[in-house]
Amino acid sequence: MEMLMFDTQQELDAYAAQLFINTVKEKPNAVLGLATGSTPIGIYDKMVESYKENKVSFKEVTTFNLDEYVGITPENDQSYAYYMNKHLFSHIDIPAAQTHLPNGMAPDMEGESARYDAMLESQPVDIQLLGLGHNGHIGFNEPDVNLSGGTHAVKLKKETREANARFFASMDEVPEYAITMGVGSILKANTIVLAVRGSDKAEIVKEALTGPITTSVPASLLQTHARVIVLLDREAGRMLV
Ligand code: GLP
């Protein structure tokens, strides 16, 4: 695991964005694995900035997002589809048909999971962006006795719904279910970029990166991957030094 610590969020964002831009420059039809949450916003801003400065084109790129809420339409401003358009897709030259998220409105979650996995199988992710949940979740893979390899629907833990409530008008509006890429699919990416900021994540960062590999901390499974780049700000990394 390669680990880098940054003094400012701007530096972390710029570094992370550059890893994705370099991938696209080397391979114009690269497959990018993307994430949501508050952490990637600044990273996407930097990617948009580079595009606007004509430093990179996303015309041939394909993207797969990690997850989506169940029961929320893509037009709903709380959906991850809406988030991706707002923060990235609508600002760059990627054709909409090349951007993929699990469909949280699909009538049959098992069928939707199989459809998503088949696409991932035929277009393996070159570089995957990941954030980290306070309980060690990646995507929406919550701590459990067993973890699913492929895409699947999950019931969100109370702490995850509480953490995400800040984006909703009230706790009642936070969906109870989501559909997420599985840990197995995430680990198939050629390179994984884990970006974490904030003092409130320091403990889980330490547990996930240096603690035992366990399904009760899904991010700890990243320790088994050959090419993970961990990007931390000083606060998130304070328990590692
Ligand atoms: C959500 C997302 C995760 C993300 C996590 C942390 O639960 N499903 O993919 O990593 O939030 O988000 P933040 O970066 O806002 O702390």
Side-chain angles (χ1 to χ4, degrees), residues 1 132 136 138 147 204 207-225:
M1 242 182 221
L132 179 66
I138 46 176
L147 293 177
I204 194 65
E207 223 181 308
L209 304 183
T210 65
I213 299 171
T214 162
T215 59
S216 59
V217 182
S220 68
L221 274 94
L222 296 173
Q223 294 179 42
T224 65
H225 193 280

Side-chain angles (χ1 to χ4, degrees), residues 72-93:
I72 286 191
T73 64
E75 296 75 35
N76 185 314
D77 62 6
Q78 303 295 356
S79 74
Y80 285 168
Y82 187 96
Y83 167 112
M84 288 310 301
N85 283 325
K86 178 178 169 191
H87 294 292
L88 185 64
F89 300 152
S90 66
H91 306 288
I92 59 174
D93 59 347

Side-chain angles (χ1 to χ4, degrees), residues 122-155:
S122 63
Q123 291 160 287
V125 172
D126 290 298
I127 183 165
Q128 173 70 55
L129 179 61
L130 284 184
L132 179 66
H134 289 102
N135 61 7
H137 75 228
I138 46 176
F140 269 133
N141 291 280
E142 297 279 38
D144 210 335
V145 278
N146 290 306
L147 293 177
S148 304
T151 304
H152 59 288
V154 275
K155 186 167 169 51

Side-chain angles (χ1 to χ4, degrees), residues 101-185:
L101 285 97
N103 176 7
M105 294 302 287
D108 161 24
M109 279 298 145
E110 273 183 32
E112 173 58 13
S113 299
R115 183 191 73 89
Y116 209 64
D117 283 341
M119 285 198 298
L120 283 166
E121 197 71 39
S122 63
Q123 291 160 287
V125 172
D126 290 298
I127 183 165
Q128 173 70 55
L129 179 61
L130 284 184
L132 179 66
H134 289 102
N135 61 7
H137 75 228
I138 46 176
F140 269 133
N141 291 280
E142 297 279 38
D144 210 335
V145 278
N146 290 306
L147 293 177
S148 304
T151 304
H152 59 288
V154 275
K155 186 167 169 51
L156 299 176
K157 297 251 181 210
K158 192 167 166 269
E159 62 259 35
T160 298
R161 292 185 66 235
E162 279 165 0
N164 289 346
R166 65 202 146 116
F167 301 114
F168 292 82
S170 75
M171 181 68 187
D172 291 343
E173 285 183 29
V174 187
E176 287 192 44
Y177 291 88
I179 176 167
T180 182
M181 255 163 77
V183 173
S185 315

